[in-house]
Amino acid sequence: MKQSFLCLLLLMHVCLHAQDVRVQAHATCNGRHIQESDTLPGGIIPETVRFYLTGFQFFRNGRQVFREENSYHLVDREGTWTITVPEYDEIAFNLGTDSLVNVSGALGGDLDPTKGMYWTWNSGYINVKLEGISPMSKGRNNGFGLHLGGYMPPFQTVYLVKSPATATGGIRIELDVCPMLEKVDWQQHHNVMSPSAEAVRLAKLLGQSIRVYAE
Amino acid sequence: MPSRFVCLALTAVVLLSAATGDPVVVPVPPGWPAPRYDQARNPLTTAGIALGRRLFYEPLLSRDSTVSCSNCHLSFTAFTHVDHALSHGIADRIGIRNAPALMNLAWSSSFMWDGAVNHLDMQALAPISNHAEMDFDVAGVVERLGNQEKYRKMFEAAFGSDIITGERLLKAVAQFELTLVSANSRYDRVTYGKDTFTMQEKNGYELFKKHCNSCHTEPLFTSCQFENNGLKPDTTLNDRGRAGITGNPADEMKFRVPTLRNIEISYPYMHDGRFKRLKDVLNHYTSGIKDSPTLSPLLKDSIKMDSNEKTDLIAFLLTLTDRDFLFNPDFRPQRDSTN
């Protein structure tokens, strides 16, 4: 009895303090938003920059207070959406998809295979897709294609990001691709098209270059 | 918040009830394990199956609208590309593997010879985009179908609204494929006490249980595992099998054990279609095994069978032919009136 009363109180508390949080995600290069026709350092022209941000969780005093249902957001260079959450002081999310959705068959919304983020010949989501031209690339016409994915050990590419978020009006997430692009092996690995050690290495570099700003 | 939940729940109920067509469940023959396919995530309906069947025979799924799934998977031949060692598709480009027979897919845990595909839903993406098969992409197919009144109606009947998505397309194809159950061969009727084996078939069955059943396990006639059965590598194809997917040297030259149901019909045999006759297959198992570090321990000591025994074993294998399956009118293209 007492417990359910407490439960009710908690629920009311949650409802009263629920708020809409605007999440903005951007692909950046050394802190600057990447625009449509940008040329990045080294003469790199990024034609495609797409990635999944998934599994949003919110914490307060170290305890999870909210977990977004069906939390899969495909960001195409940039993206904005809103989440209704109770008060929080910390957030967590993944760069990339969890292993469960990789083995669950056909899914819709941002996970629909028409989005071009699902490998056709070897099941699994492409967590990050970076395509374009790099003068350093040994590929045909200096092209490159980094399709980073893989959900099975030893080639798991999903990267968990956790960050304090003290202001609670909005969240800006920046994925800085340039520190990673500096470390691409343009001679041998200008095309990464399947789960591999190279995909894991690059995905980790990207994960480490995510910055979260609470505003 | 609670009102949002109620609203969502109501929407779900409306969506579910809007999908017309009677519910269908994949039939589980007596003595078989439970299907692995999770039908709760893709509930079968008559309308969904009809749509999947239509799509299976639809050349619009290929770039130049010439090739449908049935080009390589023919119903009369247990849905295999009979007589073609390596399947060919658009512009007669040759693929690198033999098209497997399609049946009892609800019980499979992985797909393709190397298990590259982990779920039946996602399998159709591979032929649609394969350069040597249909050479297209699923977004293009969705757009094409969306331009057709006929398909918008069929998607509405199957999924409750006429919006065509990749998810719905794949689920419909899977629904049709899940109905391809083969479980009425003579072997099955003997199992259920409705028929009897001849002496020869009985002998063959004993030999089968002794030499083959550990991989081609009853009642599905496959263990669904990856094994190296001692084929000599074909240096023109350099197919590493499972190792090409996992990168693990322990998987070198391992392929998924294929079912032997309807094996009489689904020649040529093996992932590259190298054997034309069952006799050739048995000769491989008795005198053609190539030793290698990943060869199955079951085949390290070659199987000994004389020619009478081979004849008996083949007689047994022929009891796995299921005419009801091969000639099932529900598996052939619909006539337009029977939409």
Side-chain angles (χ1 to χ4, degrees), chain A residues 110-167:
Chain A
D110 277 1
L111 294 170
D112 194 287
T114 49
K115 304 280 178 192
M117 296 295 279
Y118 198 91
W119 270 307
T120 54
W121 54 275
N122 180 0
S123 293
Y125 281 95
I126 298 167
N127 288 330
V128 180
K129 195 186 238 188
L130 266 164
E131 290 170 337
I133 294 166
S134 160
M136 295 156 286
S137 166
K138 275 273 182 281
R140 202 169 142 253
N141 300 327
N142 296 120
F144 72 90
L146 306 174
H147 296 185
L148 312 180
Y151 65 93
M152 269 190 297
F155 302 133
Q156 285 156 308
T157 50
V158 61
Y159 188 94
L160 176 70
V161 178
K162 229 177 169 190
S163 167
T166 39

Short mmCIF file of all heavy atoms in Angstrom, two decimals, chain A residues 110-167:
data_model
loop_
_atom_site.label_atom_id
_atom_site.label_comp_id
_atom_site.label_asym_id
_atom_site.label_seq_id
_atom_site.Cartn_x
_atom_site.Cartn_y
_atom_site.Cartn_z
N ASP A 110 13.56 5.16 -38.98
CA ASP A 110 14.95 5.43 -39.34
C ASP A 110 15.75 4.14 -39.58
O ASP A 110 16.86 4.19 -40.10
CB ASP A 110 15.63 6.27 -38.25
CG ASP A 110 15.32 7.75 -38.42
OD1 ASP A 110 14.58 8.09 -39.38
OD2 ASP A 110 15.81 8.57 -37.62
N LEU A 111 15.18 3.00 -39.16
CA LEU A 111 15.89 1.74 -39.36
C LEU A 111 15.45 1.03 -40.64
O LEU A 111 15.94 -0.05 -40.96
CB LEU A 111 15.65 0.81 -38.16
CG LEU A 111 16.25 1.29 -36.83
CD1 LEU A 111 15.74 0.43 -35.67
CD2 LEU A 111 17.78 1.26 -36.87
N ASP A 112 14.54 1.65 -41.39
CA ASP A 112 14.06 1.02 -42.63
C ASP A 112 15.22 0.82 -43.60
O ASP A 112 16.04 1.74 -43.79
CB ASP A 112 12.98 1.89 -43.28
CG ASP A 112 12.22 1.13 -44.36
OD1 ASP A 112 12.78 0.91 -45.45
OD2 ASP A 112 11.06 0.77 -44.10
N PRO A 113 15.31 -0.36 -44.22
CA PRO A 113 16.44 -0.62 -45.12
C PRO A 113 16.50 0.31 -46.34
O PRO A 113 17.56 0.42 -46.96
CB PRO A 113 16.25 -2.07 -45.55
CG PRO A 113 14.93 -2.49 -45.05
CD PRO A 113 14.49 -1.55 -43.99
N THR A 114 15.41 1.01 -46.66
CA THR A 114 15.49 1.96 -47.77
C THR A 114 16.39 3.14 -47.43
O THR A 114 16.76 3.91 -48.31
CB THR A 114 14.11 2.54 -48.13
OG1 THR A 114 13.49 2.98 -46.92
CG2 THR A 114 13.23 1.50 -48.79
N LYS A 115 16.74 3.31 -46.14
CA LYS A 115 17.62 4.43 -45.76
C LYS A 115 19.06 4.20 -46.21
O LYS A 115 19.92 5.05 -46.01
CB LYS A 115 17.61 4.63 -44.24
CG LYS A 115 16.24 4.85 -43.65
CD LYS A 115 15.78 6.26 -43.84
CE LYS A 115 14.37 6.44 -43.29
NZ LYS A 115 13.76 7.69 -43.69
N GLY A 116 19.32 3.02 -46.73
CA GLY A 116 20.66 2.74 -47.25
C GLY A 116 21.70 2.52 -46.17
O GLY A 116 22.89 2.64 -46.40
N MET A 117 21.23 2.20 -44.96
CA MET A 117 22.18 1.99 -43.87
C MET A 117 22.19 0.53 -43.41
O MET A 117 22.54 0.22 -42.28
CB MET A 117 21.83 2.92 -42.69
CG MET A 117 21.97 4.40 -43.00
SD MET A 117 23.68 4.94 -43.33
CE MET A 117 24.33 5.10 -41.65
N TYR A 118 21.75 -0.35 -44.30
CA TYR A 118 21.78 -1.79 -43.97
C TYR A 118 22.57 -2.51 -45.05
O TYR A 118 22.33 -2.33 -46.24
CB TYR A 118 20.36 -2.36 -43.89
CG TYR A 118 20.29 -3.68 -43.15
CD1 TYR A 118 20.06 -3.71 -41.78
CD2 TYR A 118 20.49 -4.88 -43.83
CE1 TYR A 118 20.04 -4.92 -41.09
CE2 TYR A 118 20.47 -6.09 -43.14
CZ TYR A 118 20.24 -6.10 -41.77
OH TYR A 118 20.21 -7.30 -41.09
N TRP A 119 23.55 -3.31 -44.60
CA TRP A 119 24.32 -4.07 -45.58
C TRP A 119 23.43 -5.09 -46.24
O TRP A 119 22.64 -5.76 -45.56
CB TRP A 119 25.48 -4.79 -44.91
CG TRP A 119 26.71 -3.97 -44.88
CD1 TRP A 119 27.32 -3.38 -45.95
CD2 TRP A 119 27.50 -3.65 -43.74
NE1 TRP A 119 28.45 -2.72 -45.53
CE2 TRP A 119 28.58 -2.87 -44.19
CE3 TRP A 119 27.41 -3.96 -42.40
CZ2 TRP A 119 29.57 -2.39 -43.33
CZ3 TRP A 119 28.37 -3.48 -41.54
CH2 TRP A 119 29.44 -2.69 -42.01
N THR A 120 23.56 -5.27 -47.54
CA THR A 120 22.64 -6.14 -48.23
C THR A 120 23.17 -7.57 -48.30
O THR A 120 22.39 -8.51 -48.34
CB THR A 120 22.42 -5.65 -49.67
OG1 THR A 120 23.69 -5.51 -50.30
CG2 THR A 120 21.73 -4.31 -49.64
N TRP A 121 24.47 -7.75 -48.30
CA TRP A 121 25.00 -9.10 -48.53
C TRP A 121 25.53 -9.73 -47.26
O TRP A 121 25.92 -10.87 -47.25
CB TRP A 121 26.13 -9.03 -49.57
CG TRP A 121 27.17 -8.04 -49.16
CD1 TRP A 121 27.15 -6.70 -49.39
CD2 TRP A 121 28.33 -8.30 -48.37
NE1 TRP A 121 28.24 -6.11 -48.79
CE2 TRP A 121 28.98 -7.07 -48.17
CE3 TRP A 121 28.88 -9.46 -47.82
CZ2 TRP A 121 30.16 -6.96 -47.42
CZ3 TRP A 121 30.05 -9.34 -47.10
CH2 TRP A 121 30.67 -8.10 -46.91
N ASN A 122 25.55 -8.98 -46.17
CA ASN A 122 26.09 -9.49 -44.91
C ASN A 122 25.33 -8.75 -43.82
O ASN A 122 25.60 -7.60 -43.55
CB ASN A 122 27.58 -9.19 -44.85
CG ASN A 122 28.22 -9.69 -43.57
OD1 ASN A 122 27.56 -10.27 -42.72
ND2 ASN A 122 29.51 -9.46 -43.44
N SER A 123 24.33 -9.41 -43.23
CA SER A 123 23.37 -8.72 -42.37
C SER A 123 23.99 -7.80 -41.33
O SER A 123 24.97 -8.17 -40.68
CB SER A 123 22.52 -9.74 -41.63
OG SER A 123 21.71 -10.43 -42.54
N GLY A 124 23.40 -6.64 -41.17
CA GLY A 124 23.82 -5.73 -40.12
C GLY A 124 23.72 -4.29 -40.58
O GLY A 124 23.76 -4.00 -41.78
N TYR A 125 23.55 -3.40 -39.60
CA TYR A 125 23.46 -1.98 -39.92
C TYR A 125 24.84 -1.37 -40.10
O TYR A 125 25.80 -1.77 -39.45
CB TYR A 125 22.73 -1.23 -38.80
CG TYR A 125 21.23 -1.40 -38.91
CD1 TYR A 125 20.57 -2.38 -38.19
CD2 TYR A 125 20.50 -0.60 -39.78
CE1 TYR A 125 19.21 -2.56 -38.32
CE2 TYR A 125 19.13 -0.78 -39.93
CZ TYR A 125 18.50 -1.75 -39.20
OH TYR A 125 17.15 -1.93 -39.35
N ILE A 126 24.89 -0.41 -41.00
CA ILE A 126 26.05 0.46 -41.13
C ILE A 126 25.83 1.56 -40.10
O ILE A 126 24.86 2.31 -40.20
CB ILE A 126 26.14 1.04 -42.55
CG1 ILE A 126 26.29 -0.09 -43.58
CG2 ILE A 126 27.28 2.05 -42.66
CD1 ILE A 126 26.08 0.35 -45.02
N ASN A 127 26.66 1.65 -39.10
CA ASN A 127 26.44 2.63 -38.04
C ASN A 127 26.82 4.03 -38.46
O ASN A 127 26.18 5.01 -38.09
CB ASN A 127 27.21 2.23 -36.78
CG ASN A 127 26.59 1.03 -36.10
OD1 ASN A 127 25.36 0.83 -36.18
ND2 ASN A 127 27.41 0.21 -35.46
N VAL A 128 27.88 4.12 -39.25
CA VAL A 128 28.35 5.41 -39.74
C VAL A 128 28.74 5.24 -41.21
O VAL A 128 29.43 4.29 -41.56
CB VAL A 128 29.60 5.90 -38.98
CG1 VAL A 128 30.06 7.25 -39.51
CG2 VAL A 128 29.35 5.96 -37.49
N LYS A 129 28.26 6.15 -42.04
CA LYS A 129 28.62 6.09 -43.47
C LYS A 129 29.25 7.42 -43.86
O LYS A 129 28.61 8.46 -43.78
CB LYS A 129 27.35 5.84 -44.29
CG LYS A 129 27.61 5.41 -45.72
CD LYS A 129 26.31 5.32 -46.50
CE LYS A 129 26.08 3.94 -47.07
NZ LYS A 129 24.92 3.89 -47.98
N LEU A 130 30.51 7.35 -44.26
CA LEU A 130 31.23 8.54 -44.71
C LEU A 130 31.74 8.26 -46.11
O LEU A 130 32.52 7.33 -46.31
CB LEU A 130 32.44 8.78 -43.81
CG LEU A 130 32.27 9.72 -42.62
CD1 LEU A 130 33.42 9.52 -41.65
CD2 LEU A 130 32.26 11.15 -43.11
N GLU A 131 31.27 9.05 -47.08
CA GLU A 131 31.72 8.84 -48.45
C GLU A 131 32.15 10.17 -49.05
O GLU A 131 31.62 11.22 -48.67
CB GLU A 131 30.59 8.26 -49.30
CG GLU A 131 30.22 6.85 -48.96
CD GLU A 131 28.94 6.39 -49.65
OE1 GLU A 131 28.12 7.25 -50.02
OE2 GLU A 131 28.77 5.19 -49.79
N GLY A 132 33.04 10.12 -49.98
CA GLY A 132 33.44 11.35 -50.64
C GLY A 132 34.72 11.18 -51.42
O GLY A 132 35.03 10.09 -51.91
N ILE A 133 35.45 12.30 -51.51
CA ILE A 133 36.68 12.31 -52.30
C ILE A 133 37.82 12.81 -51.42
O ILE A 133 37.64 13.77 -50.66
CB ILE A 133 36.51 13.23 -53.53
CG1 ILE A 133 35.45 12.63 -54.47
CG2 ILE A 133 37.83 13.43 -54.28
CD1 ILE A 133 34.95 13.58 -55.51
N SER A 134 38.94 12.14 -51.50
CA SER A 134 40.12 12.59 -50.78
C SER A 134 41.31 12.49 -51.72
O SER A 134 41.55 11.43 -52.29
CB SER A 134 40.36 11.71 -49.56
OG SER A 134 41.71 11.85 -49.14
N PRO A 135 42.05 13.61 -51.90
CA PRO A 135 43.20 13.57 -52.81
C PRO A 135 44.20 12.49 -52.43
O PRO A 135 44.96 12.02 -53.26
CB PRO A 135 43.85 14.95 -52.65
CG PRO A 135 42.79 15.81 -52.04
CD PRO A 135 41.88 14.92 -51.27
N MET A 136 44.17 12.09 -51.16
CA MET A 136 45.14 11.08 -50.70
C MET A 136 44.67 9.66 -50.99
O MET A 136 45.43 8.71 -50.89
CB MET A 136 45.36 11.22 -49.20
CG MET A 136 46.01 12.54 -48.81
SD MET A 136 45.65 12.98 -47.08
CE MET A 136 43.96 13.51 -47.13
N SER A 137 43.39 9.51 -51.35
CA SER A 137 42.84 8.16 -51.49
C SER A 137 43.38 7.47 -52.72
O SER A 137 43.44 8.04 -53.81
CB SER A 137 41.32 8.23 -51.58
OG SER A 137 40.81 6.99 -52.04
N LYS A 138 43.74 6.19 -52.54
CA LYS A 138 44.20 5.38 -53.67
C LYS A 138 43.02 4.78 -54.44
O LYS A 138 43.19 4.01 -55.37
CB LYS A 138 45.09 4.23 -53.16
CG LYS A 138 46.55 4.63 -52.98
CD LYS A 138 47.31 4.46 -54.29
CE LYS A 138 48.78 4.78 -54.19
NZ LYS A 138 49.12 6.20 -54.20
N GLY A 139 41.82 5.12 -54.03
CA GLY A 139 40.62 4.58 -54.68
C GLY A 139 40.41 5.16 -56.06
O GLY A 139 41.07 6.11 -56.47
N ARG A 140 39.43 4.57 -56.79
CA ARG A 140 39.11 5.04 -58.12
C ARG A 140 38.68 6.51 -58.05
O ARG A 140 37.85 6.88 -57.22
CB ARG A 140 37.96 4.18 -58.67
CG ARG A 140 37.86 4.19 -60.15
CD ARG A 140 36.89 3.11 -60.62
NE ARG A 140 36.14 3.64 -61.75
CZ ARG A 140 34.87 4.00 -61.68
NH1 ARG A 140 34.19 3.87 -60.57
NH2 ARG A 140 34.27 4.48 -62.75
N ASN A 141 39.22 7.36 -58.89
CA ASN A 141 38.92 8.81 -58.89
C ASN A 141 39.06 9.43 -57.51
O ASN A 141 38.29 10.32 -57.13
CB ASN A 141 37.50 9.08 -59.41
CG ASN A 141 37.32 8.58 -60.83
OD1 ASN A 141 38.27 8.59 -61.61
ND2 ASN A 141 36.14 8.11 -61.15
N ASN A 142 40.01 8.93 -56.73
CA ASN A 142 40.26 9.43 -55.37
C ASN A 142 39.05 9.27 -54.44
O ASN A 142 38.93 9.97 -53.43
CB ASN A 142 40.69 10.90 -55.37
CG ASN A 142 42.01 11.10 -56.08
OD1 ASN A 142 42.10 11.83 -57.06
ND2 ASN A 142 43.02 10.44 -55.59
N GLY A 143 38.17 8.38 -54.79
CA GLY A 143 36.98 8.20 -53.95
C GLY A 143 37.32 7.43 -52.68
O GLY A 143 38.34 6.74 -52.59
N PHE A 144 36.49 7.62 -51.68
CA PHE A 144 36.59 6.77 -50.50
C PHE A 144 35.20 6.46 -49.98
O PHE A 144 34.23 7.17 -50.27
CB PHE A 144 37.46 7.42 -49.41
CG PHE A 144 36.82 8.60 -48.71
CD1 PHE A 144 36.05 8.42 -47.57
CD2 PHE A 144 37.00 9.90 -49.20
CE1 PHE A 144 35.46 9.50 -46.93
CE2 PHE A 144 36.42 10.98 -48.57
CZ PHE A 144 35.64 10.79 -47.43
N GLY A 145 35.10 5.38 -49.23
CA GLY A 145 33.83 4.99 -48.63
C GLY A 145 34.10 4.26 -47.33
O GLY A 145 34.71 3.19 -47.32
N LEU A 146 33.72 4.91 -46.24
CA LEU A 146 33.93 4.28 -44.94
C LEU A 146 32.56 3.89 -44.39
O LEU A 146 31.81 4.74 -43.94
CB LEU A 146 34.66 5.24 -43.99
CG LEU A 146 35.97 5.82 -44.53
CD1 LEU A 146 36.54 6.88 -43.59
CD2 LEU A 146 37.01 4.71 -44.76
N HIS A 147 32.25 2.61 -44.51
CA HIS A 147 30.98 2.10 -43.98
C HIS A 147 31.31 1.34 -42.70
O HIS A 147 31.79 0.22 -42.75
CB HIS A 147 30.30 1.18 -44.99
CG HIS A 147 29.90 1.88 -46.26
ND1 HIS A 147 29.19 1.25 -47.26
CD2 HIS A 147 30.10 3.15 -46.69
CE1 HIS A 147 28.98 2.12 -48.25
NE2 HIS A 147 29.54 3.27 -47.92
N LEU A 148 31.08 2.01 -41.58
CA LEU A 148 31.52 1.42 -40.33
C LEU A 148 30.34 0.75 -39.63
O LEU A 148 29.34 1.39 -39.32
CB LEU A 148 32.13 2.50 -39.42
CG LEU A 148 33.15 3.42 -40.11
CD1 LEU A 148 33.69 4.45 -39.12
CD2 LEU A 148 34.31 2.60 -40.70
N GLY A 149 30.47 -0.53 -39.39
CA GLY A 149 29.43 -1.28 -38.71
C GLY A 149 29.99 -2.60 -38.23
O GLY A 149 31.18 -2.89 -38.42
N GLY A 150 29.13 -3.39 -37.64
CA GLY A 150 29.56 -4.68 -37.08
C GLY A 150 29.01 -4.78 -35.67
O GLY A 150 29.23 -3.88 -34.86
N TYR A 151 28.26 -5.85 -35.40
CA TYR A 151 27.64 -6.00 -34.09
C TYR A 151 28.11 -7.25 -33.36
O TYR A 151 27.79 -7.47 -32.21
CB TYR A 151 26.10 -6.04 -34.24
CG TYR A 151 25.61 -7.24 -35.01
CD1 TYR A 151 25.23 -8.40 -34.32
CD2 TYR A 151 25.57 -7.25 -36.40
CE1 TYR A 151 24.81 -9.52 -35.01
CE2 TYR A 151 25.15 -8.37 -37.08
CZ TYR A 151 24.79 -9.50 -36.39
OH TYR A 151 24.39 -10.62 -37.08
N MET A 152 28.85 -8.12 -34.08
CA MET A 152 29.27 -9.39 -33.48
C MET A 152 30.72 -9.28 -33.04
O MET A 152 31.54 -8.71 -33.73
CB MET A 152 29.17 -10.50 -34.53
CG MET A 152 27.84 -11.21 -34.53
SD MET A 152 27.89 -12.67 -35.58
CE MET A 152 28.19 -12.03 -37.20
N PRO A 153 31.06 -9.86 -31.86
CA PRO A 153 32.46 -9.90 -31.48
C PRO A 153 33.23 -10.68 -32.54
O PRO A 153 32.67 -11.61 -33.10
CB PRO A 153 32.47 -10.65 -30.14
CG PRO A 153 31.05 -10.98 -29.80
CD PRO A 153 30.18 -10.58 -30.95
N PRO A 154 34.48 -10.37 -32.84
CA PRO A 154 35.27 -9.33 -32.20
C PRO A 154 35.14 -7.96 -32.85
O PRO A 154 35.89 -7.06 -32.50
CB PRO A 154 36.70 -9.87 -32.39
CG PRO A 154 36.64 -10.56 -33.72
CD PRO A 154 35.25 -11.11 -33.85
N PHE A 155 34.22 -7.79 -33.78
CA PHE A 155 34.16 -6.52 -34.53
C PHE A 155 32.93 -5.71 -34.16
O PHE A 155 32.09 -5.41 -35.01
CB PHE A 155 34.21 -6.79 -36.04
CG PHE A 155 35.42 -7.55 -36.48
CD1 PHE A 155 35.32 -8.63 -37.35
CD2 PHE A 155 36.69 -7.19 -36.02
CE1 PHE A 155 36.45 -9.34 -37.76
CE2 PHE A 155 37.82 -7.88 -36.42
CZ PHE A 155 37.70 -8.96 -37.28
N GLN A 156 32.80 -5.35 -32.90
CA GLN A 156 31.67 -4.52 -32.49
C GLN A 156 32.05 -3.05 -32.62
O GLN A 156 33.10 -2.62 -32.16
CB GLN A 156 31.30 -4.83 -31.03
CG GLN A 156 30.57 -6.15 -30.92
CD GLN A 156 30.70 -6.74 -29.55
OE1 GLN A 156 31.81 -6.88 -29.04
NE2 GLN A 156 29.57 -7.08 -28.95
N THR A 157 31.16 -2.27 -33.23
CA THR A 157 31.51 -0.89 -33.53
C THR A 157 30.66 0.13 -32.80
O THR A 157 30.85 1.33 -32.96
CB THR A 157 31.37 -0.63 -35.05
OG1 THR A 157 30.09 -1.12 -35.46
CG2 THR A 157 32.45 -1.34 -35.83
N VAL A 158 29.67 -0.31 -32.03
CA VAL A 158 28.82 0.64 -31.32
C VAL A 158 29.65 1.28 -30.19
O VAL A 158 30.50 0.63 -29.59
CB VAL A 158 27.54 -0.04 -30.80
CG1 VAL A 158 27.86 -1.15 -29.82
CG2 VAL A 158 26.58 0.97 -30.20
N TYR A 159 29.44 2.59 -29.97
CA TYR A 159 30.27 3.32 -28.99
C TYR A 159 29.37 4.09 -28.03
O TYR A 159 28.53 4.89 -28.46
CB TYR A 159 31.20 4.28 -29.74
CG TYR A 159 32.23 4.94 -28.85
CD1 TYR A 159 33.50 4.39 -28.71
CD2 TYR A 159 31.92 6.11 -28.15
CE1 TYR A 159 34.45 4.98 -27.90
CE2 TYR A 159 32.88 6.70 -27.33
CZ TYR A 159 34.13 6.14 -27.20
OH TYR A 159 35.07 6.73 -26.40
N LEU A 160 29.52 3.82 -26.74
CA LEU A 160 28.67 4.45 -25.73
C LEU A 160 29.26 5.80 -25.31
O LEU A 160 30.44 5.88 -24.97
CB LEU A 160 28.52 3.55 -24.51
CG LEU A 160 27.74 4.14 -23.34
CD1 LEU A 160 26.25 4.25 -23.67
CD2 LEU A 160 27.92 3.30 -22.08
N VAL A 161 28.41 6.82 -25.33
CA VAL A 161 28.84 8.15 -24.90
C VAL A 161 28.05 8.52 -23.65
O VAL A 161 26.83 8.36 -23.62
CB VAL A 161 28.55 9.20 -26.00
CG1 VAL A 161 28.96 10.60 -25.54
CG2 VAL A 161 29.26 8.84 -27.29
N LYS A 162 28.73 8.99 -22.63
CA LYS A 162 28.04 9.42 -21.40
C LYS A 162 28.55 10.81 -21.08
O LYS A 162 29.75 11.06 -21.19
CB LYS A 162 28.40 8.46 -20.26
CG LYS A 162 27.17 7.97 -19.52
CD LYS A 162 27.50 6.97 -18.45
CE LYS A 162 26.22 6.79 -17.63
NZ LYS A 162 26.36 6.05 -16.42
N SER A 163 27.64 11.70 -20.72
CA SER A 163 28.11 13.06 -20.50
C SER A 163 27.23 13.77 -19.48
O SER A 163 26.01 13.64 -19.50
CB SER A 163 28.07 13.82 -21.84
OG SER A 163 28.23 15.19 -21.60
N PRO A 164 27.85 14.54 -18.57
CA PRO A 164 27.03 15.37 -17.68
C PRO A 164 26.28 16.41 -18.50
O PRO A 164 26.76 16.84 -19.55
CB PRO A 164 28.05 16.03 -16.75
CG PRO A 164 29.37 15.85 -17.39
CD PRO A 164 29.28 14.72 -18.36
N ALA A 165 25.10 16.78 -18.08
CA ALA A 165 24.32 17.78 -18.80
C ALA A 165 23.59 18.60 -17.75
O ALA A 165 22.52 18.22 -17.29
CB ALA A 165 23.34 17.11 -19.74
N THR A 166 24.21 19.71 -17.36
CA THR A 166 23.66 20.47 -16.24
C THR A 166 22.53 21.39 -16.66
O THR A 166 21.49 21.41 -16.04
CB THR A 166 24.78 21.27 -15.53
OG1 THR A 166 25.64 21.77 -16.54
CG2 THR A 166 25.56 20.38 -14.59
N ALA A 167 22.73 22.11 -17.75
CA ALA A 167 21.61 22.90 -18.25
C ALA A 167 20.64 21.92 -18.90
O ALA A 167 21.06 20.93 -19.49
CB ALA A 167 22.09 23.91 -19.29
#
